[in-house]
Amino acid sequence: MVSTFISYSRADSSFAVRLTKNLKSAGFDVWLDQLDIPTGARWDDEVENALESCKTFMIILSPESLQSQNVKDEIGYAIDAGKEILPVKLKSGEIPFRLRRFQYVDFSEKSYQENLKEIKVLLTAAGNLPIPKPAENEPVEIEAAPTIKKIKSVTTDSLTPPARSIPKKPEGMATSIPRPSISRALLIGAAMIGTLAVAGLIVRTLGTGQFSAATPSGAASIAENRATE
């Protein structure tokens, strides 16, 4: 399927190629035999297929093209088939009678760029919309991050209990290590054992002192008894 078929004379070949390339670069689907017939294909068959399938027939008018029998045949077929006709007047001269009722673009009176813009408008109005090109090196903005962050904050704040505040230790204060508590009974038992040990020591000391003191007294008594005998 071809959107726009371009008919021209070989004498206007350079202009036809330039116009076709400009329209293609703008995204329009245009067909020109020099650019779109693949190598090895039958020339007449490709031209006939493109002419039959096109929606718009663009004819480049010049004294040379109006003398070309092939161009005349293509014009006759396009009119009979009810194609959209877009005459492009390249050089000054009369418009053929059967093409006068169609709006045309006149390159003999305006600049190339002005007429190129007008052709784009006419092709778009005829339904031959340009093929959109994918954007290149276009920055991608990720808007999902703020939404995810918002949802996360709502769920965590609503479900997680507030953490207890732990007072900070003043600077310079040594950290105390808690020791396990000792049973009161153990403390009492240890105190009693210590008391008994001290008491035993005292008793032992006192006993030794009495024995030492009694020994001289006994010796004196024995000596006295022997003296009396």
Side-chain angles (χ1 to χ4, degrees), residues 50-85:
L51 186 59
E52 290 178 355
S53 62
C54 74
K55 182 177 182 180
T56 300
F57 177 82
M58 183 188 300
I59 170 63
I60 298 176
L61 296 175
S62 68
E64 292 79 9
S65 64
L66 294 179
Q67 297 299 320
S68 171
Q69 187 60 47
N70 290 333
V71 172
K72 291 179 180 180
D73 292 340
E74 292 170 355
I75 293 174
Y77 173 83
I79 294 175
D80 294 340
K83 305 290 184 180
E84 296 281 348
I85 308 296

Side-chain angles (χ1 to χ4, degrees), residues 191-209:
M192 291 178 65
I193 292 172
T195 303
L196 291 175
V198 172
L201 180 61
I202 293 173
V203 170
R204 257 188 251 169
T205 303
L206 291 176
T208 304

Side-chain angles (χ1 to χ4, degrees), residues 33-215:
D33 54 3
Q34 293 188 62
L35 301 178
D36 295 294
I37 294 181
T39 304
R42 289 183 60 87
W43 193 277
D44 51 350
D45 290 341
E46 293 293 327
V47 172
E48 184 176 355
N49 292 334
L51 186 59
E52 290 178 355
S53 62
C54 74
K55 182 177 182 180
T56 300
F57 177 82
M58 183 188 300
I59 170 63
I60 298 176
L61 296 175
S62 68
E64 292 79 9
S65 64
L66 294 179
Q67 297 299 320
S68 171
Q69 187 60 47
N70 290 333
V71 172
K72 291 179 180 180
D73 292 340
E74 292 170 355
I75 293 174
Y77 173 83
I79 294 175
D80 294 340
K83 305 290 184 180
E84 296 281 348
I85 308 296
L86 178 56
V88 175
K89 186 178 180 182
L90 181 59
K91 301 176 183 179
S92 59
E94 292 293 329
I95 302 293
F97 177 77
R98 52 183 178 174
L99 295 177
R100 289 180 184 177
R101 66 178 183 269
F102 300 107
Q103 182 179 359
Y104 65 92
V105 179
D106 193 351
F107 277 81
S108 63
E109 295 183 357
K110 296 181 182 179
S111 66
Y112 180 88
Q113 293 299 330
E114 289 177 324
N115 285 288
L116 177 62
K117 184 182 297 184
E118 186 176 353
I119 290 175
K120 293 178 182 179
V121 172
L122 293 174
L123 290 178
T124 302
N128 300 329
L129 302 178
I131 302 173
K133 295 182 179 181
E136 296 180 358
N137 299 328
E138 186 175 355
V140 179
E141 297 180 359
I142 302 175
E143 299 181 358
T147 305
I148 295 174
K149 182 177 180 181
K150 183 177 180 181
I151 294 174
K152 183 177 180 181
S153 62
V154 171
T155 54
T156 54
D157 293 344
S158 59
L159 298 180
T160 305
R164 295 182 179 180
S165 60
I166 302 175
K168 296 182 178 180
K169 178 179 68 62
E171 296 181 359
M173 180 180 291
T175 304
S176 59
I177 303 175
R179 296 181 179 179
S181 60
I182 302 175
S183 175
R184 186 176 180 181
L186 293 177
L187 289 175
I188 295 173
M192 291 178 65
I193 292 172
T195 303
L196 291 175
V198 172
L201 180 61
I202 293 173
V203 170
R204 257 188 251 169
T205 303
L206 291 176
T208 304
Q210 291 177 356
F211 179 76
S212 300
T215 302

